[in-house]
Protein backbone atom coordinates (compact mmCIF):
# COMPACT_ATOMS: atom_id res chain seq x y z
CA UNK A 1 0.00 0.00 0.00
CA UNK A 2 1.10 3.56 -0.52
CA UNK A 3 1.67 6.15 2.18
CA UNK A 4 -0.52 9.26 2.00
CA UNK A 5 1.16 12.42 3.19
CA UNK A 6 -0.31 15.89 3.06
CA UNK A 7 1.00 19.17 4.35
CA UNK A 8 -1.43 21.63 5.88
CA UNK A 9 -1.31 24.91 7.73
CA UNK A 10 -2.85 25.08 11.18
CA UNK A 11 -2.97 27.37 14.17
CA UNK A 12 -1.59 26.18 17.50
CA UNK A 13 -3.91 27.64 20.14
CA UNK A 14 -1.97 28.98 23.14
CA UNK A 15 -2.21 31.60 25.86
CA UNK A 16 0.77 33.32 24.26
CA UNK A 17 0.80 35.55 21.21
CA UNK A 18 -0.58 33.82 18.11
CA UNK A 19 2.42 32.68 16.05
CA UNK A 20 0.19 32.46 12.97
CA UNK A 21 -0.30 29.40 10.84
CA UNK A 22 2.34 26.69 11.19
CA UNK A 23 3.10 23.74 8.91
CA UNK A 24 1.60 20.41 9.97
CA UNK A 25 2.11 17.01 8.35
CA UNK A 26 -0.85 14.65 8.00
CA UNK A 27 0.32 11.09 7.34
CA UNK A 28 -1.40 7.78 6.72
CA UNK A 29 0.56 4.54 6.37
CA UNK A 30 -1.79 1.56 5.89
CA UNK A 31 1.10 -0.89 6.31
CA UNK A 32 1.83 0.55 9.75
CA UNK A 33 -1.79 0.88 10.93
CA UNK A 34 -4.72 0.91 8.49
CA UNK A 35 -7.06 2.44 11.08
CA UNK A 36 -4.91 5.39 12.20
CA UNK A 37 -3.56 8.65 10.89
CA UNK A 38 -0.62 10.62 12.27
CA UNK A 39 -0.49 14.36 12.76
CA UNK A 40 2.98 15.84 12.97
CA UNK A 41 3.22 19.19 14.71
CA UNK A 42 6.24 21.51 14.39
CA UNK A 43 9.26 20.13 16.18
CA UNK A 44 9.17 16.46 17.05
CA UNK A 45 5.60 16.09 18.28
CA UNK A 46 3.56 13.53 16.38
CA UNK A 47 0.16 12.26 17.42
CA UNK A 48 -1.91 9.33 16.26
CA UNK A 49 -5.68 9.01 16.11
CA UNK A 50 -8.15 6.86 14.25
CA UNK A 51 -9.45 7.92 10.86
CA UNK A 52 -12.96 7.40 12.24
CA UNK A 53 -12.37 9.83 15.12
CA UNK A 54 -11.01 12.49 12.80
CA UNK A 55 -13.96 12.09 10.45
CA UNK A 56 -16.58 12.07 13.22
CA UNK A 57 -15.07 15.17 14.81
CA UNK A 58 -15.61 17.19 11.65
CA UNK A 59 -19.39 17.19 12.25
CA UNK A 60 -19.80 16.68 16.02
CA UNK A 61 -17.56 16.52 19.09
CA UNK A 62 -15.73 13.18 19.28
CA UNK A 63 -13.12 11.80 21.66
CA UNK A 64 -11.00 8.71 22.08
CA UNK A 65 -8.27 8.33 24.66
CA UNK A 66 -6.00 11.36 24.62
CA UNK A 67 -7.45 12.93 21.46
CA UNK A 68 -10.56 15.08 21.03
CA UNK A 69 -11.87 16.55 17.77
CA UNK A 70 -14.75 18.96 17.21
CA UNK A 71 -16.06 21.34 14.55
CA UNK A 72 -15.38 25.03 15.09
CA UNK A 73 -17.85 27.05 13.09
CA UNK A 74 -18.65 25.98 9.55
CA UNK A 75 -15.16 25.80 8.08
CA UNK A 76 -12.76 24.84 10.84
CA UNK A 77 -12.06 21.92 13.16
CA UNK A 78 -10.12 21.68 16.40
CA UNK A 79 -7.96 18.73 17.38
CA UNK A 80 -6.90 18.53 21.02
CA UNK A 81 -4.08 16.25 22.18
CA UNK A 82 -3.51 15.39 25.86
CA UNK A 83 -0.32 13.98 27.38
CA UNK A 84 1.62 14.14 30.65
CA UNK A 85 3.12 17.47 29.58
CA UNK A 86 -0.25 19.14 29.06
CA UNK A 87 -2.58 19.84 26.17
CA UNK A 88 -1.90 20.84 22.57
CA UNK A 89 -4.81 22.44 20.72
CA UNK A 90 -4.60 22.75 16.93
CA UNK A 91 -7.12 24.49 14.68
CA UNK A 92 -7.38 23.33 11.04
CA UNK A 93 -9.40 24.37 8.02
CA UNK A 94 -11.86 21.49 7.74
CA UNK A 95 -11.35 21.22 3.99
CA UNK A 96 -7.68 20.23 4.53
CA UNK A 97 -8.73 17.38 6.83
CA UNK A 98 -11.54 16.30 4.49
CA UNK A 99 -9.18 16.25 1.52
CA UNK A 100 -6.65 14.21 3.49
CA UNK A 101 -9.27 11.70 4.67
CA UNK A 102 -10.56 11.23 1.13
CA UNK A 103 -7.04 10.44 -0.04
CA UNK A 104 -6.61 7.88 2.76
CA UNK A 105 -9.87 6.14 1.85
CA UNK A 106 -8.77 5.91 -1.80
CA UNK A 107 -5.48 4.36 -0.65
CA UNK A 108 -7.14 1.94 1.77
CA UNK A 109 -10.92 1.52 2.13
CA UNK A 110 -12.50 1.36 5.56
CA UNK A 111 -11.29 -1.58 7.64
CA UNK A 112 -14.02 -3.40 9.59
Amino acid sequence: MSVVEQYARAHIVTDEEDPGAVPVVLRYDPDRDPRSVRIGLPGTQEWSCSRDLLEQGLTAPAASGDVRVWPCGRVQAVVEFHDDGGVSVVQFDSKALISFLRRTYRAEPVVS
Side-chain angles (χ1 to χ4, degrees), residues 9-77:
R9 309 256 327 138
H11 288 271
I12 309 291
V13 180
T14 69
D15 292 337
E16 300 169 14
E17 185 177 332
D18 182 7
V22 298
V24 176
V25 179
L26 305 170
R27 183 175 295 120
Y28 174 68
D29 183 349
D31 291 333
R32 183 175 182 178
D33 184 351
R35 290 186 170 95
S36 295
V37 296
R38 301 191 72 75
I39 300 172
L41 302 179
T44 59
Q45 276 187 303
E46 187 173 80
W47 291 86
S48 177
C49 69
S50 75
R51 288 193 296 179
D52 290 342
L53 175 67
L54 193 56
E55 184 173 14
Q56 290 169 8
L58 291 171
T59 57
S64 178
D66 296 336
V67 181
R68 292 172 179 79
V69 183
W70 66 89
C72 181
R74 294 176 19 180
V75 297
Q76 295 182 322

